[in-house]
């Protein structure tokens, strides 16, 4: 397009008081603006959906190689999970994460929460499987059942409060953390199963406890997977599952 | 500690209002900035490609046409990308894509991203391929965000100018919003997110062997490319189903805090740009003051509700806040702050499940959206909503004392008053009609799959409020991925985007043509505490009168039952 031709247009002054294009018929305006609209959508999409991500890759990937590939943790060359993504633990020798609503539990390809309202009886009292609908498992552990389980597993008497994070599901279903109070109540069980003194386990927990970020952001928390990895290194379980026996969690 | 986080957040937002507001004023007045050497050549060549003449300004009518045309073409392009994503290479294996991208879902998603609603009827990691996320969604985050900012700037111009037939050039505002504001900030912000742990890769989903001998598939992708601009452009649709709650999308309390700043700072700063251009800085500060007051009240109420567990859990002897649906790293504080900021900020990037909030905790985000997101608000559209409600206040005040109402020397004559009335009625009209339709027919009720009773009613009203306000946060217990909801929510989004913007810009065009009236003894000053109280009262009154019945049937009834 020829610039000098456009600049001779009489309507272009900044304080265009003649009403200019406002008085043009709608269809003329539409036709005039169609090319700018089409070109801007295409070019800006290219810039924002092409050049921007490429520039970001070029900048951030070399700077932060581990984070950009998902903060994965490996053991003996095998990827065991991600530092940031929670995974399920049920054995007595491990610290247990929060309950999860992602898929069948800690399904990191299907994040989500329960979305149950506080007034919904299912949230507190759970639900049992409906035998009429074969193939679909409606059973759901409510906060009541989870609390009872937690008290039984960890020997917590009724007069001691259970930290609420231990019995509620997170928004993502992939919460990698538990609260320090939750971890503290699990120390006795884990040390018994590992044959370690509670002092040793307590110091491991302390090492994997993060405080508030910058001193005031968020909540103090214990990273479950790194802690359990270090427990395995410190005092391996005798019947540790081998990678060959790895199995997919049932239906999802 | 929670309150320290809230206070630091507010202090940073308020502290950044002046410098950022001044920068925005410079950018859109085409005055020199430190980025000019790099960006001006790009800008010039873009105008050449678009075949536009940057000095040539537009009337409000043409500006509206350009905005709508741009949004519609953007919708069509992203619809094509989303619907045809099966042909895009790379990304997750098909077996993970369990929520198919159907025709109506693609329409809904495309409309929702082009209108900055970014409502998530889709499932993120279970619906989309990587390239569809980048070309279809990341790009739309920039485009729609920049278009919103352009509209806000044009709206301010309308109030600032005198005897002018024009309010700016949409294409120039769009390009400058993209190049000078969104792209550079996103590049820096996204790098910070990667540093904190947000993944940026094109790898297939990771197969991890867990310590207890199971397989865990971990969704991956170019997450960081989306996660910052989704907040900065006040869009909010996340890479993953759980959006800002997902530890890959929002790995640390710091990423949460940065994301919330990204939502609030630019819209808040426009209050300064507004005062600066209209040459009435105190009027800008008064509007910011009203915003901060509403924000703080919402925050305090939501915090009060969520800091303790629901009372029906007392018999189980559990300790802590209402942590169902909340992430431990954010806790109650980071979750409540995010809910209040995102619901005010037209940004759907919730980091906790609002469906599991207590009734009072639900009222806060719901009211924030129903009031029209006047606190900071959407990028560009937030200031517009605030000024429109201030104008309603001026109109009411003027009627009470029997003078021609005027704001910043601009008179509100009958035709302006009609535009204001339509604007104020649009949200109740759309939200309440669509909600009643959904609740009273067999088309809408099957979506209520998770909860029943008043809570379910809240979910439906919340859904339409969120879409009308172009917000996109959701009470996700409502299964909104059905033809009925995909179509009706898309209608609400379009009404919220085109309807409200067209009314506001039409008004701005009329104001631009007026000359400024001299201040007299009879003028209602717009830079005083009294005026702030008037605006505050108007906002509460308009919201309360329109939506009280819906609130009573929803969260308030749930509160009384519990």
């Amino acid at each position: 397009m020829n610039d000098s031709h456009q600049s001779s247009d009489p309507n272009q002054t900044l304080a265009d008081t003649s009403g200019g294009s406002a008085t043009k018929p709608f269809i003329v305006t539409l036709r005039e603006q169609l090319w700018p609209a089409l070109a801007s959508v295409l070019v800006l999409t290219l810039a924002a959906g092409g050049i921007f991500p490429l520039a970001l890759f070029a900048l951030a990937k070399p700077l932060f190689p581990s984070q950009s590939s998902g903060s994965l943790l490996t053991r003996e060359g095998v990827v065991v999970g991600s530092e940031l993504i929670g995974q399920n633990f049920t054995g007595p020798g491990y610290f247990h994460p929060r309950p999860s609503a992602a898929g069948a539990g800690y399904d990191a390809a299907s994040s989500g929460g329960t979305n149950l309202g506080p007034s919904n009886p299912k949230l507190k009292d759970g639900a049992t499987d409906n035998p009429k609908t074969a193939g679909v498992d409606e059973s759901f552990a409510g906060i009541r059942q989870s609390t009872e389980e937690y008290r039984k597993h960890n020997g917590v008497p009724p007069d001691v409060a259970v930290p609420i994070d231990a019995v509620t599901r997170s928004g993502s279903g992939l919460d990698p953390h538990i609260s320090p109070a939750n971890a503290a109540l699990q120390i006795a069980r884990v040390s018994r199963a590992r044959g370690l003194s509670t002092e040793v386990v307590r110091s491991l927990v302390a090492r994997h406890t993060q405080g508030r970020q910058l001193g005031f952001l968020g909540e103090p928390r214990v990273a479950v997977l790194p802690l359990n990895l270090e427990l395995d290194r410190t005092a391996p379980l005798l019947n540790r599952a081998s990678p060959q026996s790895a199995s997919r969690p049932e239906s999802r | 500690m929670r309150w320290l986080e809230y206070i630091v957040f507010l202090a940073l937002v308020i502290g950044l209002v002046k410098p950022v507001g001044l920068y925005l004023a410079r950018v859109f007045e085409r005055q020199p900035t430190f980025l000019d050497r790099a960006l001006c050549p790009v800008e010039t060549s873009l105008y050449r490609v678009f075949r536009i003449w940057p000095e040539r300004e537009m009337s409000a009518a043409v500006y509206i046409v350009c905005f709508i045309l741009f949004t519609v073409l953007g919708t069509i392009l992203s619809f094509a990308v989303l619907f045809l994503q099966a042909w895009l290479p790379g990304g997750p294996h098909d077996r993970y894509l369990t929520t198919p991208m159907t025709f109506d879902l693609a329409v809904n998603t495309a409309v929702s991203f082009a209108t900055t609603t970014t409502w998530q009827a889709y499932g993120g990691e279970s619906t989309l391929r990587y390239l569809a996320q980048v070309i279809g969604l990341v790009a739309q985050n920039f485009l729609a965000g920049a278009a919103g900012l352009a509209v806000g700037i044009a709206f301010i111009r309308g109030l600032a100018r005198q005897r002018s037939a024009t309010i700016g050039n949409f294409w120039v505002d769009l390009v400058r919003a993209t190049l000078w504001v969104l792209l550079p900030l996103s590049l820096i912000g996204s790098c910070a997110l990667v540093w904190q742990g947000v993944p940026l890769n094109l790898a297939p989903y990771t197969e991890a062997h867990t310590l207890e001998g199971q397989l865990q598939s971990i969704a991956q992708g170019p997450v960081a490319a989306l996660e910052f601009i989704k907040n900065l452009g006040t869009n909010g649709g996340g890479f993953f189903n759980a959006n800002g709650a997902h530890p890959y999308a929002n790995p640390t309390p710091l990423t949460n805090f940065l994301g919330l700043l990204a939502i609030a700072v630019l819209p808040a700063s426009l209050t300064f740009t507004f005062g600066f251009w209209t040459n009435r800085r105190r009027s800008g500060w008064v509007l910011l003051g009203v915003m901060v007051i509403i924000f703080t009240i919402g925050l305090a109420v939501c915090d009060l509700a969520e800091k303790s567990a629901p009372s029906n859990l007392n018999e189980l002897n559990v300790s802590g806040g209402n942590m169902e649906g909340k992430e431990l790293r954010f806790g109650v504080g980071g979750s409540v702050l995010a809910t209040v900021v995102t619901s005010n900020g037209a940004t759907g990037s919730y980091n906790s499940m609002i469906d599991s909030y207590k009734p009072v905790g639900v009222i806060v985000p719901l009211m924030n959206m129903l009031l029209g997101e006047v606190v900071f608000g959407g990028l560009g559209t937030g200031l517009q909503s605030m000024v429109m409600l201030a104008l309603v206040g001026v109109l009411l005040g003027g009627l009470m004392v029997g003078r021609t109402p005027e704001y910043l020397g601009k008179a509100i004559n009958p035709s302006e008053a009609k535009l204001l009335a339509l604007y104020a009625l649009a949200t109740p009209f759309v939200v309440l009609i669509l909600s009643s339709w959904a609740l009273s027919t067999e088309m809408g009720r099957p979506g209520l799959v998770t909860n029943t009773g008043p809570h379910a009613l809240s979910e439906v009203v919340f859904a339409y409020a969120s879409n009308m306000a172009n917000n996109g946060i959701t009470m996700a217990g409502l299964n909104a991925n059905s033809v009925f909801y995909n179509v009706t929510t898309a209608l609400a989004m379009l009404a919220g985007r085109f309807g409200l913007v067209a009314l506001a810009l039409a008004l701005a065009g009329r104001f631009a043509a007026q000359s400024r009236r001299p201040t007299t003894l009879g003028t209602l000053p717009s830079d005083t505490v009294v005026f702030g109280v008037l605006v505050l009262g108007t906002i509460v009154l308009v919201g309360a009168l329109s939506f009280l019945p819906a609130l009573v049937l929803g969260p308030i009834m749930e509160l009384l039952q519990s």
Side-chain angles (χ1 to χ4, degrees):
Chain A
M1 199 72 190
N2 188 338
D3 280 351
S4 62
H5 167 72
Q6 281 198 341
S7 66
S8 64
D9 189 325
N11 272 339
Q12 70 181 29
T13 49
L14 192 71
D16 181 4
T17 51
S18 67
S21 38
T23 53
K24 285 180 193 165
F26 176 71
I27 194 77
V28 175
T29 308
L30 204 61
R31 208 164 47 220
E32 274 179 358
Q33 302 297 345
L34 194 61
W35 173 254
L38 204 60
S40 58
V41 166
L42 291 174
V43 173
L44 293 181
T45 298
L46 188 72
I51 299 169
F52 166 72
L54 287 176
L56 186 62
F57 265 90
L59 210 62
K61 242 185 134 61
L63 278 174
F64 313 109
S66 159
Q67 291 96 315
S68 61
S69 49
S71 309
L72 300 175
L73 296 173
T74 56
R75 180 169 68 183
E76 296 153 22
V78 179
V79 175
V80 294
S82 164
E83 194 185 334
L84 298 174
I85 304 288
Q87 61 179 241
N88 211 7
F89 288 99
T90 51
Y94 288 114
F95 282 88
H96 294 177
R98 303 176 63 183
S100 161
Y106 284 98
D107 181 346
S110 179
S111 58
T114 61
N115 289 311
L116 294 171
S119 62
N120 194 323
K122 187 177 165 188
L123 179 63
K124 185 183 172 191
D125 298 322
T128 48
D129 190 17
N130 181 355
K132 286 181 194 143
T133 53
V136 191
D137 186 9
E138 288 95 351
S139 65
F140 178 89
I143 293 177
R144 180 193 300 282
Q145 289 84 359
S146 299
T147 310
E148 283 163 5
E149 283 278 284
Y150 187 87
R151 289 187 186 282
K152 202 171 79 192
H153 278 305
N154 299 297
V156 180
D159 56 321
V160 175
V162 170
I164 193 156
D165 67 286
V167 294
T168 49
R169 291 160 173 87
S170 71
S172 63
L174 303 171
D175 198 335
H177 302 112
I178 54 176
S179 66
N182 181 354
L185 289 177
Q186 299 190 39
I187 286 175
R189 166 178 53 82
V190 172
S191 21
R192 210 163 38 244
R194 297 261 171 186
L196 290 166
S197 74
T198 52
E199 279 69 42
V200 173
V201 177
R202 187 164 290 127
S203 73
L204 288 181
V205 170
R207 199 181 312 163
H208 289 277
T209 304
Q210 297 158 273
R212 291 188 170 89
Q213 211 170 2
L214 309 178
F216 69 98
L217 290 175
E219 294 293 326
R221 56 208 186 274
V222 180
V224 178
L225 177 58
L227 171 61
N228 283 336
L229 261 176
E230 183 153 0
L231 273 174
D232 270 358
R233 275 199 299 274
T234 314
L237 290 171
L238 295 175
N239 52 351
R240 196 182 104 192
S242 59
Q244 289 81 19
S245 66
S247 64
R248 210 155 254 296
E250 345 53 271
S251 67
R252 60 190 190 94
Chain B
M1 240 356 134
R2 293 196 314 275
W3 276 96
L4 186 60
E5 184 166 352
Y6 303 157
I7 290 166
V8 172
F9 177 82
L10 262 180
L12 279 172
V13 171
I14 295 169
L16 286 167
V17 159
K18 189 176 173 186
V20 177
L22 271 176
Y23 176 74
L24 290 175
R26 293 191 78 82
V27 167
F28 292 101
E29 279 177 332
R30 304 185 74 205
Q31 287 176 348
T33 66
F34 66 102
L35 289 169
D36 285 6
R37 278 165 69 106
L39 295 178
C40 276
V42 183
E43 184 193 18
T44 314
S45 45
L46 282 180
Y47 295 153
R48 202 159 293 167
V49 175
F50 300 172
R51 294 187 207 150
I52 58 146
W53 187 248
E55 272 76 33
R56 184 169 169 178
E57 295 215 335
M58 298 168 176
S59 67
V62 177
Y63 206 99
I64 296 169
V65 169
C66 290
F67 169 73
I68 293 179
L69 206 54
F70 177 79
T71 307
V72 168
L73 291 179
T75 311
I76 293 171
L77 181 69
S78 56
F79 166 78
V81 171
L82 292 171
F83 193 57
L84 304 176
Q85 67 156 351
W87 282 276
L88 292 172
H93 193 280
D94 283 339
R95 73 165 179 270
Y96 296 118
L97 304 179
T98 48
T99 309
M101 186 48 92
T102 53
F103 182 85
D104 53 298
L105 183 57
V107 171
N108 181 282
T109 309
V111 170
S112 106
F113 274 77
T115 57
T116 76
T117 313
T118 58
W119 165 258
Q120 269 186 298
Y122 64 97
E125 71 269 42
S126 65
T127 304
L128 293 169
R129 290 172 175 277
Y130 294 163
L131 285 182
Q133 294 253 23
V134 174
I135 304 171
L137 304 191
V138 174
Q140 272 306 313
N141 274 279
F142 280 95
L143 270 61
L149 182 53
V151 164
I153 289 291
F155 181 77
I156 301 176
R157 282 199 196 105
L159 281 155
R161 290 185 174 180
Q162 300 189 63
R163 290 185 299 279
S164 166
T166 61
I167 55 170
N169 183 314
F170 177 73
W171 309 115
V172 175
D173 293 340
L174 181 76
V175 164
R176 291 188 79 88
T178 314
L179 292 182
W180 266 262
V181 183
L182 297 185
L183 275 173
L185 283 174
S186 299
L187 207 55
I188 300 167
S190 304
C191 280
L193 293 192
V194 181
W195 165 56
Q196 285 290 301
V198 181
L200 183 71
N201 59 59
L202 298 171
Y205 290 3
T206 305
E207 297 290 342
H209 297 259
T210 71
L211 298 194
E212 289 200 333
Q214 291 198 316
L215 278 176
Q216 187 187 33
S217 308
I218 304 179
Q220 300 285 347
V223 188
L226 179 70
E227 291 297 331
F228 195 78
I229 182 62
K230 83 168 186 196
N231 288 324
L232 190 67
T234 66
N235 303 283
F239 197 91
F240 300 108
N241 186 41
N243 206 336
H246 197 289
Y248 268 171
N250 204 352
T252 64
L254 182 62
T255 56
N256 189 46
F257 197 71
L258 287 177
L260 299 180
L261 280 177
I263 294 172
V265 167
L266 289 178
S269 305
L270 282 175
T271 57
F272 186 87
T273 314
F274 169 78
F276 185 68
W277 276 357
T278 55
N279 224 349
R280 282 165 170 74
R281 293 201 194 184
R282 281 175 52 120
S283 300
W285 289 116
V286 166
L287 293 187
L288 184 70
V290 175
M291 291 181 178
V292 169
I293 289 171
I294 301 179
F295 182 88
T296 313
I297 294 172
L299 196 61
V301 172
C302 200
D303 180 86
L304 189 70
E306 296 302 305
K307 73 177 181 185
S308 59
S311 54
N312 63 351
L313 298 182
N314 285 348
E315 52 160 320
L316 304 176
N317 193 12
V318 293
S319 66
N322 182 17
M323 286 301 287
E324 180 70 29
K326 294 191 182 63
E327 301 286 301
L328 192 80
R329 58 193 177 284
F330 310 135
V332 168
S335 303
V336 164
L337 184 64
T339 297
V340 174
V341 172
T342 55
S343 61
N344 277 315
T347 309
S349 54
Y350 57 87
N351 72 1
S352 51
M353 295 304 166
I354 295 163
D355 232 324
S356 298
Y357 276 42
K358 293 202 240 168
V360 174
V362 172
I363 289 177
V364 171
L366 184 56
M367 275 317 284
N368 284 339
M369 294 188 297
L370 290 174
L371 294 177
E373 296 174 331
V374 290
V375 180
F376 313 140
L379 185 53
T381 54
L383 183 86
Q384 165 207 306
S385 316
M386 185 57 163
V387 173
M388 292 301 270
L389 276 175
L391 289 168
V392 174
V394 170
L395 180 64
L396 296 178
L399 291 177
M400 278 188 262
V401 296
R403 282 175 193 277
T404 305
E406 55 181 67
Y407 184 55
L408 308 176
K410 302 285 188 184
I412 304 175
N413 298 314
S415 49
E416 281 89 0
K418 279 177 201 154
L419 289 172
L420 278 177
L422 282 176
Y423 190 94
L425 291 175
T427 299
F429 186 78
V430 173
V431 172
L432 296 178
I433 295 225
L434 287 178
S435 300
S436 327
W437 188 13
L439 285 163
S440 58
T441 63
E442 276 312 312
M443 288 184 280
R445 285 199 292 266
L448 301 167
V449 290
T450 315
N451 296 295
T452 54
H455 193 83
L457 185 132
S458 303
E459 287 177 351
V460 173
V461 178
F462 201 91
Y464 290 111
S466 172
N467 283 297
M468 179 66 190
N470 289 170
N471 188 307
I473 58 173
T474 158
M475 290 174 81
L478 173 72
N479 178 13
N481 183 13
S482 66
V483 175
F484 175 79
Y485 281 107
N486 279 334
V487 171
T488 51
T489 54
L491 284 177
M493 295 175 210
L494 290 172
R497 188 70 166 174
F498 294 153
L500 298 184
V501 163
L503 288 170
L505 282 187
L507 190 68
R510 300 192 72 90
F511 280 148
Q514 288 185 15
S515 53
R516 203 175 291 289
R517 295 177 154 211
T519 309
T520 65
L521 269 178
T523 309
L524 176 70
S526 63
D527 55 358
T528 58
V529 175
V530 175
F531 184 78
V533 173
L534 175 71
V535 175
L536 195 65
T538 309
I539 293 170
V540 173
L541 205 66
V542 168
L545 287 181
S546 312
F547 298 108
L548 198 60
L551 290 180
V552 167
L553 291 175
I556 293 176
M557 189 182 289
E558 189 185 355
L559 179 70
L560 295 177
Q561 283 177 350
S562 65

